[in-house]
Amino acid sequence: MSDLRKTLLGLPHKRSSASSLALSKQQFLPLKWQDYFDKEEYIDTVSGRHHVYIKGCKGPIILCLHGGGYNGLTWSLFAEEMFTNIECQIVALDFRGHGNTKTDNDGDLSLETLTEDVINVANAIAPAGQSSIVLVGHSMGGAIAVNASYQIQSLVGLCVIDVVEGTALDALSSMQSILRGRPTHFKSIPHAIQWCYKGGQCHNLEAARVSMPGQIVNVQSGAMACDEWNLFENMNVPDMPHSAESSFRSSNFTIREGVEEVADHDVCGKPPLAEEKTFKVPTTSTGKGDEGSGYTWRIDLSKTETYWKHWFQGLSEKFLGTNVPRILMLANISGLDTKLTVGQMQGKFQLQVLAKTGHAVHEDQPHQVAEILSIYLVKQKCATTKAGFVMPLHPNVCC
């Protein structure tokens, strides 16, 4: 089993404490995106309306591209950390078919189409000569970032997170079975967050609470869970019966009887990753009676299989061929292929391996990822530090 597959399947631990059940009801409530970003906007292009989350208004633009199935909210904690370190603007894009982006063909996730979308968005937010752009991409988004890097004139830097051509292509044969093993529906938003965290997709509880609601929609209304929850949290109706609020909240974190709980985690929300345990998903996933209510995935990734191979073919060569400063962050160095190993030894890019993290490196360890990228951009003269951010004399970075 590849490291990527292990990450996607998750390696949680069983929790035996019965008292943790009541506490978990509050632990898995969603967090609002406004706590991490300043605003959201829609960027109109020839193909549709592309939704972005934005933080900051000066400095280079860090254009963040999420992986397949995620959305812009996967960058929430990273955005907060980056904004603390350097003068920058964070723009987190929802790809077509994801989040709140709406295009003329949301099902077209080909490499060429997604690349064109990124170029159009980049040109809209940073007209030629007005601002510099740093592309940061995770997984599928990393492959799109590399492909788009050749056609963005204002590009000054490229960061790819946990995607390598060989490892990605090897993992594709297992992806359909992995996707079939996921729940198709969730009883509530907190149930989805609970699955995301305890099922191993994200090893940082805070990240799961803000990111997972951006990946699911209400089955009946079609509304994004993050928008639905935000609307509820902002309601200020004096005459609203207390029972109505209680009903909404209880329906959104009722814990199903018989759920196997997961072992307690430390204050950083990182579970131990060494020992494999089985985990019973705390949601309904295949029952026919559940498909008319609750929440389901914003995008059915199983239907995008036709595009998977093309996303990653030739990725290593294209990454090495770009003419801007490059940094590659991986969860496991064993995934480095021959071309990248030689390129790294020749000093063509900077490599950083973050131990004890899952596939969503930027969610699991947002502080470390932001610090590494901040230091790199400052050293490359692409950004300036903010007061309070001290550049380490001997950063723990592989170069």
Side-chain angles (χ1 to χ4, degrees):
M1 183 186 293
S2 70
D3 294 311
L4 176 59
R5 186 180 176 190
K6 286 182 180 179
T7 298
L8 291 173
L9 290 173
L11 307 176
H13 284 56
K14 183 177 180 180
R15 178 183 306 181
S16 58
S17 173
S19 62
S20 65
L21 186 59
L23 180 60
S24 67
K25 294 181 179 181
Q26 295 298 325
Q27 280 183 325
F28 299 111
L29 287 177
L31 296 174
K32 295 190 297 183
W33 65 261
Q34 289 92 338
D35 294 335
Y36 303 89
F37 293 97
D38 297 334
K39 59 183 178 179
E40 61 178 348
E41 287 186 359
Y42 286 90
I43 298 173
D44 293 323
T45 70
V46 293
S47 62
R49 307 194 75 201
H50 299 270
H51 180 258
V52 296
Y53 296 97
I54 299 174
K55 189 175 186 68
C57 58
K58 61 180 180 179
I61 296 173
I62 315 294
L63 180 55
C64 301
L65 310 178
H66 61 78
Y70 295 82
N71 83 321
L73 294 179
T74 188
W75 302 101
S76 298
L77 275 65
F78 167 82
E80 188 175 47
E81 295 286 351
M82 284 294 293
F83 193 71
T84 300
N85 297 344
I86 61 174
E87 290 290 350
C88 64
Q89 307 170 66
I90 310 293
V91 178
L93 172 68
D94 290 346
F95 277 123
R96 65 170 60 208
H98 298 72
N100 280 311
T101 289
K102 304 292 183 183
T103 65
D104 53 9
N105 185 359
D106 281 353
D108 181 4
L109 297 187
S110 65
L111 177 67
E112 293 77 13
T113 297
L114 293 178
T115 298
E116 184 179 2
D117 288 343
V118 171
I119 294 170
N120 288 336
V121 169
N123 290 337
I125 62 177
Q130 293 190 20
S131 186
S132 58
I133 287 182
V134 176
L135 284 178
V136 180
H138 168 241
S139 196
M140 176 196 78
I144 306 306
V146 170
N147 208 49
S149 66
Y150 287 83
Q151 302 180 61
I152 299 177
Q153 293 183 351
S154 53
L155 190 70
V156 297
L158 173 65
C159 174
V160 174
I161 299 178
D162 211 43
V163 58
V164 172
E165 179 181 353
T167 306
L169 290 174
D170 289 344
L172 294 183
S173 60
S174 303
M175 285 307 299
Q176 283 290 4
S177 61
I178 292 172
L179 293 175
R180 285 194 297 269
R182 301 195 311 174
T184 59
H185 292 74
F186 300 97
K187 182 189 301 184
S188 65
I189 302 173
H191 267 89
I193 294 171
Q194 185 182 25
W195 173 84
C196 177
Y197 178 55
K198 294 186 176 182
Q201 176 173 298
C202 177
H203 301 294
N204 183 323
L205 179 56
E206 182 182 358
R209 291 174 67 188
V210 66
S211 172
M212 189 62 185
Q215 301 172 45
I216 57 176
V217 295
N218 187 301
V219 172
Q220 295 182 339
S221 68
M224 293 291 300
C226 55
D227 297 332
E228 184 179 70
W229 183 265
N230 185 62
L231 178 63
F232 170 76
E233 287 287 281
N234 287 318
M235 282 194 302
N236 183 20
V237 185
D239 298 331
M240 179 180 180
H242 179 70
S243 59
E245 178 179 349
S246 299
S247 175
F248 183 91
R249 284 186 173 273
S250 63
S251 68
N252 270 279
F253 58 64
T254 300
I255 306 298
R256 184 176 161 191
E257 292 184 6
V259 169
E260 275 191 22
E261 291 298 322
V262 175
D264 291 322
H265 298 69
D266 62 21
V267 293
C268 297
K270 302 184 186 73
L273 302 177
E275 182 184 357
E276 294 193 32
K277 296 283 186 179
T278 57
F279 175 66
K280 186 182 296 182
V281 176
T283 61
T284 47
S285 58
T286 58
K288 294 181 180 180
D290 300 311
E291 297 181 0
S293 60
Y295 298 82
T296 190
W297 298 99
R298 164 67 173 89
I299 182 172
D300 184 351
L301 287 177
S302 64
K303 295 181 179 179
T304 67
E305 183 176 9
T306 184
Y307 305 114
W308 295 350
K309 190 175 182 179
H310 193 39
W311 288 341
F312 307 115
Q313 282 183 325
L315 177 59
S316 295
E317 186 173 347
K318 286 188 287 186
F319 177 73
L320 293 172
T322 57
N323 59 3
V324 296
R326 291 148 292 184
I327 180 170
L328 175 64
M329 300 190 195
L330 299 177
N332 194 312
I333 197 170
S334 64
L336 209 62
D337 60 24
T338 302
K339 288 182 180 179
L340 291 180
T341 300
V342 173
Q344 191 267 332
M345 293 176 65
Q346 294 174 340
K348 291 185 177 180
F349 66 94
Q350 178 169 302
L351 171 67
Q352 177 68 43
V353 179
L354 290 88
K356 297 182 180 179
T357 185
H359 180 48
V361 180
H362 56 296
E363 288 195 336
D364 293 351
Q365 298 191 24
H367 175 79
Q368 291 88 335
V369 171
E371 181 177 74
I372 292 166
L373 183 56
S374 296
I375 293 170
Y376 185 69
L377 293 178
V378 171
K379 285 189 172 182
Q380 296 294 329
K381 302 186 185 306
C382 299
T384 58
T385 60
K386 284 186 175 179
F389 179 62
V390 179
M391 295 278 288
L393 294 176
H394 303 286
N396 182 27
V397 174
C398 303
C399 335

